[in-house]
Amino acid sequence: MAISAFDLFSVGVGPSSSHTVGPMRAAQHFVERVRREGALGSVASLEVELFGSLAATGHGHGTFTAVLLGLEGFDPAQILPAESEEALARIETSGIVRLGGALAAGLGSAAASGSSAAYAEVPFAIADIVLRPLTVLPRHTNGMRFRVRDGVGEVLEEQTYFSVGGGFVVREGAEQTVLDGLEAAISEQPYPFTTAAELLAHTEASGLSVAEVMRSNELVRRDAAEIQAGLSHIWRVMEECKDAALRRTGVLPGGLEVRRRAPDWHRRLTAQDPDRDPRYWQEWVNLVALAVNEENASGGRVVTAPTNGAAGIIPAVLFYATHYAPGVDPADAAARERIVSDFLLAAAAIGVLVKEQASISGAEVGCQGEVGSASSMAAAGLAQVLGGSPAQVENAAEIAMEHNLGLTCDPVGGLVQIPCIERNAIAASQAINAAKMALMGDGAHHVSLDQVIATMRETGRDMSDKYKETSTGGLAVNVVEC
């Protein structure tokens, strides 16, 4: 599959791309298949099974409610909080799921807006979801199976899906991913690459930067104006996510009683640093990462970058790039747009490498695949906009990834809160330091990015399942949940 920047950076809902966005997308895709086959009117019953990590930590990750919303036809990139709350309240009260109801009404779904598709009312509730946490399907630990039957019990449609990280979903029997309710098309690209060596060879042969190579590949699917508009939209959603968190107070949902720190930090920091003194850059970076991940933990609207659990790192480092990079004028809108697009494209190029060679799924390789990947991507993006050569950009990504190797995923209570929120802030600072270290050199280094990614993949394979988003080891068992 030819991976796009807009696959890696997609708008969705918190708290997890693999456990919330992916299952919602898979359920929506399943219902759309049933609808296209004209079978919705014959559906009398529904069965849902969740396997492995989805079953083990689904409660804390919002998986169960995401499945219900997806079955109703809602799309994670389009659904509004009010729509989500209304639908879930109705399902809880009535015990009825409207299969494809949102598709029929054109709610929360870009694919079928304005459609007159029929929907089916089926008795179903969260308690009807069958959980199989000890059963891991061969392809991936994040497995789910949907099945609908008619009035006499005959199976009308059955599909198995895998949420493989970052909101990417693969249907069993298909090699392409499910994106926005459709099977993703494979596109011909002028500069195809799956390794850093191939990427650097393209930059050397063409004279293009890492960001320019990625932009050239994006032009296969979109024109230049669409690319710029899309990247600007991603950045605006990141900013809106941060701003929304600064307006919320109290504690995060889920039962851990984790206090929201972003609003208080923002008030104190604004008083300390009203003129944005460069000495306070790290405090602002910490704040942005913290705010984005608090909003994610609240089930808010976020950009998967490349996952929800690591969604605060790239916005925080991009904030640094647009406010504290040498020679940057935060008031220069045109310059800021250039920084945003080059940063995100270079970051996406690194995301492609990780996705192709290893994994961005915490349930598959631990948090090194989420926070480690995001830190590596952010470091590359910052090195790009600070004027780094392709070799320096690759070096920055390698440094950031190397020092996240072995990072476990052990969320307390199955919630994307502890240690996830603070971990994003730490990794954002790591990314900035990695970029600065790379720019002090000439790009030559002993360990290649390809070697580090391969090591990350092998480390994830060797890592105990206790540390791969199952909440059965590490902090998850050593921290009391009250």
Side-chain angles (χ1 to χ4, degrees):
M1 183 187 75
I3 300 172
S4 165
F6 299 101
D7 299 334
L8 292 161
F9 300 125
S10 60
V11 179
V13 292
S16 172
S17 50
S18 61
H19 286 57
T20 312
V21 176
M24 190 186 301
R25 183 170 283 158
Q28 183 206 28
H29 184 270
F30 174 74
V31 170
E32 176 62 15
R33 284 179 65 91
V34 177
R35 186 189 69 83
R36 285 201 309 264
E37 293 170 6
L40 268 179
S42 302
V43 173
S45 65
L46 165 70
E47 299 166 21
V48 177
E49 295 175 274
L50 300 180
F51 300 89
S53 181
L54 290 182
T57 62
H59 175 71
H61 283 59
T63 305
F64 308 154
T65 52
V67 166
L68 295 182
L69 293 170
L71 290 169
E72 291 241 338
F74 286 102
D75 187 284
Q78 302 293 325
I79 189 170
L80 300 175
E83 293 172 340
S84 172
E85 292 169 6
E86 180 183 349
L88 292 173
R90 171 176 44 76
I91 294 169
E92 183 177 3
T93 301
S94 67
I96 298 292
V97 170
R98 297 175 180 174
L99 293 182
L103 294 173
L107 293 174
S109 172
S113 180
S115 169
S116 59
Y119 66 89
E121 292 191 340
V122 180
F124 197 80
I126 286 177
D128 296 317
I129 298 175
V130 177
L131 305 180
R132 305 191 187 281
L134 301 181
T135 303
V136 176
L137 301 181
R139 186 158 186 171
H140 196 278
T141 183
N142 288 337
M144 66 202 101
R145 183 172 294 141
F146 302 99
R147 185 184 300 112
V148 287
R149 299 179 186 270
D150 62 18
V152 297
E154 292 294 323
V155 174
L156 296 170
E157 180 75 18
E158 177 180 327
Q159 293 293 333
T160 299
Y161 296 86
F162 301 93
S163 182
V164 297
F168 287 82
V169 176
V170 179
R171 181 172 57 86
E172 189 171 60
E175 293 305 315
Q176 301 172 20
T177 62
V178 172
L179 297 171
D180 299 324
L182 302 173
E183 302 284 357
I186 297 177
S187 303
E188 292 294 330
Q189 295 180 330
Y191 302 109
F193 62 89
T194 58
T195 68
E198 292 171 346
L199 174 60
L200 291 176
H202 285 313
T203 63
E204 185 174 353
S206 65
L208 300 175
S209 69
V210 170
E212 288 168 339
V213 165
M214 195 67 190
R215 182 180 283 108
S216 297
N217 286 346
E218 294 293 339
L219 286 169
V220 170
R221 301 185 184 186
R222 299 170 177 84
D223 63 32
E226 289 175 317
I227 293 170
Q228 185 59 52
L231 295 172
S232 296
H233 172 67
I234 288 167
W235 175 65
R236 284 195 301 274
V237 174
M238 288 177 174
E239 287 288 292
E240 290 165 2
C241 178
K242 175 254 297 178
D243 293 341
L246 298 181
R247 295 190 294 268
R248 296 200 194 212
T249 56
V251 298
L252 296 171
L256 291 181
E257 299 297 309
V258 174
R259 182 170 59 88
R260 299 176 189 268
R261 289 174 284 179
D264 183 50
W265 281 26
H266 184 246
R267 284 190 295 272
R268 292 170 55 194
L269 189 51
T270 301
Q272 280 183 298
D273 181 33
D275 301 319
R276 293 290 173 85
D277 189 316
R279 290 179 299 170
Y280 290 93
W281 70 263
Q282 189 162 33
E283 286 80 359
W284 284 102
V285 167
N286 286 341
L287 173 65
V288 174
L290 198 80
V292 170
N293 280 83
E294 286 184 354
E295 185 67 8
N296 176 64
S298 305
R301 196 164 185 252
V302 300
V303 174
T304 299
T307 68
N308 283 27
I313 297 166
I314 285 173
V317 180
L318 187 50
F319 183 90
Y320 176 87
T322 55
H323 288 78
Y324 293 101
V328 168
D329 178 5
D332 187 339
R336 189 175 60 220
E337 291 289 330
R338 287 194 299 273
I339 288 172
V340 167
S341 61
D342 284 351
F343 184 107
L344 292 176
L345 286 169
I350 303 306
V352 169
L353 301 178
V354 179
K355 190 78 176 66
E356 291 282 11
Q357 296 185 60
S359 174
I360 57 173
S361 169
E364 190 172 14
V365 294
C367 201
Q368 58 175 354
E370 296 200 34
V371 161
S373 298
S375 185
S376 182
M377 292 166 66
L382 183 58
Q384 174 73 62
V385 301
L386 292 180
S389 67
Q392 289 171 319
V393 170
E394 183 261 359
N395 190 195
E398 179 274 320
I399 293 170
M401 176 66 81
E402 181 179 343
H403 301 290
N404 279 287
L405 289 175
L407 193 61
T408 61
C409 184
D410 52 353
V412 176
L415 298 166
V416 190
Q417 298 178 18
I418 301 172
C420 318
I421 295 173
E422 289 180 356
R423 184 170 285 174
N424 274 249
I426 297 298
S429 293
Q430 282 183 300
I432 294 169
N433 196 30
K436 291 180 176 180
M437 289 178 68
L439 293 174
M440 287 295 288
D442 60 3
H445 52 108
H446 287 286
V447 181
S448 73
L449 177 57
D450 287 330
Q451 290 171 324
V452 170
I453 294 174
T455 303
M456 188 266 278
R457 181 186 66 243
E458 292 161 4
T459 302
R461 186 182 299 126
D462 295 338
M463 187 181 292
S464 168
D465 287 343
K466 293 191 300 183
Y467 306 114
K468 294 194 284 190
E469 211 164 357
T470 58
S471 290
T472 58
L475 286 174
V477 298
N478 287 310
V479 176
V480 179
E481 295 181 32
C482 61

